[in-house]
Amino acid sequence: MSNLEFDPHLYTASLDDREDHAPGDEPEESAGHWVRNANLGLGFSIVLTAAAFIVAGSQFIYAPAIPVALIVLAIAQMGVHLVFFLHITTGPDNTNNVLALAFGILVVFLIVVGSIWIMDNLNRNMMPMEQQMQMQP
């Protein structure tokens, strides 16, 4: 038989590294790995939170740049939470998690932008309060 007709891995019940895995089915890792990751994430979170308080309460940064610095620290904090606590990575087993996260961000974006659009439209089309008060009997 040729190699194309017979592949011993197809006909044996032995498990090897080529075995297919379902999304989210990750290999077993030691408990120490999870504890180390959680502690590392906690450390990063504490450092970023302390940095935000220091930036907001001191004169280290030029005053008009403080909101930008706080936004950068907030985005870094979200990244730490996504990676260390929610275990969102770009690996092939996390495709569903990344798509769910992207869909959630899209929904929140649409709700916020839609609400702002509706409020702006109402603000432009409503009668001024002075005219409403004059129309009352």
Side-chain angles (χ1 to χ4, degrees):
M1 288 186 145
S2 71
N3 287 339
L4 295 175
E5 294 174 3
F6 180 74
D7 185 4
H9 293 291
L10 295 176
Y11 297 104
T12 60
S14 66
L15 299 175
D16 61 1
D17 292 336
R18 299 181 335 159
E19 183 180 354
D20 193 20
H21 295 285
D25 184 21
E26 298 177 3
E28 289 293 322
E29 295 177 354
S30 66
H33 173 76
W34 291 103
V35 170
R36 184 177 43 112
N37 272 353
N39 286 335
L40 194 59
L42 178 64
F44 283 144
S45 296
I46 289 171
V47 167
L48 288 170
T49 302
F53 277 103
I54 290 170
V55 164
S58 67
Q59 303 296 326
F60 288 144
I61 297 178
Y62 182 59
I66 289 176
V68 174
L70 291 176
I71 289 171
V72 168
L73 288 169
I75 290 172
Q77 185 84 273
M78 286 188 288
V80 166
H81 284 254
L82 288 173
V83 171
F84 288 101
F85 300 124
L86 296 175
H87 307 290
I88 302 289
T89 62
T90 57
D93 289 343
N94 286 325
T95 304
N96 290 339
N97 293 340
V98 172
L99 288 175
L101 178 66
F103 180 72
I105 291 171
L106 174 70
V107 168
V108 168
F109 176 77
L110 289 176
I111 289 172
V112 169
V113 170
S115 297
I116 292 172
W117 184 6
I118 289 169
M119 289 187 289
D120 180 59
N121 189 25
L122 286 173
N123 186 36
R124 279 192 270 127
N125 292 324
M126 297 268 306
M127 185 182 302
M129 186 59 73
E130 297 83 26
Q131 289 180 357
Q132 285 182 357
M133 297 301 282
Q134 291 174 357
M135 291 179 64
Q136 291 183 355

